Every structure is written in C-alpha cells, then in structure tokens.
Amino acid sequence: MKKTFAFIGQLFMLLIICKVGYYLATLLHLPIPGNVIGMILLFCLLQMKVIKVEWIELTSGFLVKHLAFFFIPISISLMTMGWLFIEFGLPLALTLGVSLIFGFIVSAWTVQKLSIRGEDKRHDSAHHNI
C-alpha cells in the first residue's frame, strides 16, 4: 500500500513538472513542445539537486520499463496516414536517418566522456588510498 502511494505521489510530481513545461511553452510562445520543456526542467531540477532521483525513481522506472506500450497508439495512428508517407516519405526518412546518426554520435561522445571522467576519479581515489 505504501508503494502504491509513493508511486502516485511520484507520478503527480512528474505530471506537475510536465504541466509547468506546457505552461512555459504557451506563456513564452516557444517553438519547443511543452513536454520537452518539462523534461529539460526535470533534468535541471535533478542536476541542481532540488529533486532527488529517489523521489521519482519508482514511477520513472515503471514508465521506462513500459515505454514501448506508449508507442502503440502512435503506431496505429500512423497506419492510417499512408498518404503522408507517400507524399513526404523521402524527406521524413532523410530527417530520421540524420537524426539517428546524430543521436548515435552524441550518445557515444557522452558515454566516452563520462567513462573517461569515471576512470579519472577511480585513478585519483586509488592514489589517495596508497
């Protein structure tokens, strides 16, 4: 029962952050979707330690675990839009391909930088233990 209340509380917190993102996008007339602004806001709050990971870990873990389920409605909607792919298929494919490659490069670069930083910290702590 305690876990259920924790899940609901964490979900409520995430929804509030998402709604704030939508509100900011509307208020500031930003060309960025509100949910993206909400994710950026959540990232900033986590980085500044305003929100602790433990406060959203249960719900965010559940959402990530079931992420594929949330794409079912989108996939079904896309099946009804065959004309869209016929008319704009090549530009869409090109955009998705470039985005995919760019995402891979940024992800690989980030992992490489973080792993080097982690190795440096382990190396420094090993010298301090000697």
Side-chain angles (χ1 to χ4, degrees), residues 1-19 42 46 51-64:
M1 189 69 153
K2 185 179 178 183
K3 200 172 187 179
T4 303
F5 283 125
F7 182 88
I8 292 170
Q10 290 177 16
L11 182 61
F12 189 66
M13 185 186 313
L14 291 172
L15 286 172
I16 288 173
I17 292 169
C18 183
K19 289 296 181 184
L42 177 62
L46 287 166
I51 293 178
K52 295 181 181 178
V53 174
E54 298 82 32
W55 296 356
I56 60 167
E57 196 168 31
L58 179 65
T59 302
S60 59
F62 174 83
L63 292 172
V64 169

Side-chain angles (χ1 to χ4, degrees), residues 47-117:
Q47 287 299 311
M48 294 185 301
K49 308 263 191 269
V50 173
I51 293 178
K52 295 181 181 178
V53 174
E54 298 82 32
W55 296 356
I56 60 167
E57 196 168 31
L58 179 65
T59 302
S60 59
F62 174 83
L63 292 172
V64 169
K65 183 178 176 184
H66 296 90
L67 188 63
F69 175 75
F70 298 114
F71 286 100
I72 293 173
I74 295 169
S75 301
I76 292 171
S77 296
L78 286 175
M79 287 181 198
T80 64
M81 299 183 168
W83 62 270
L84 185 70
F85 292 107
I86 292 169
E87 192 170 338
F88 301 105
L90 186 60
L92 281 171
L94 189 60
T95 302
L96 289 172
V98 170
S99 298
L100 179 72
I101 291 168
F102 182 73
F104 281 154
I105 291 170
V106 170
S107 297
W109 180 81
T110 303
V111 167
Q112 199 172 31
K113 290 291 179 191
L114 290 175
S115 66
I116 288 171
R117 194 160 85 185

Side-chain angles (χ1 to χ4, degrees), residues 118-130:
E119 288 175 9
D120 289 344
K121 285 184 180 180
R122 281 194 300 261
H123 183 67
D124 289 344
S125 67
H127 282 301
H128 288 258
N129 292 335
I130 296 177

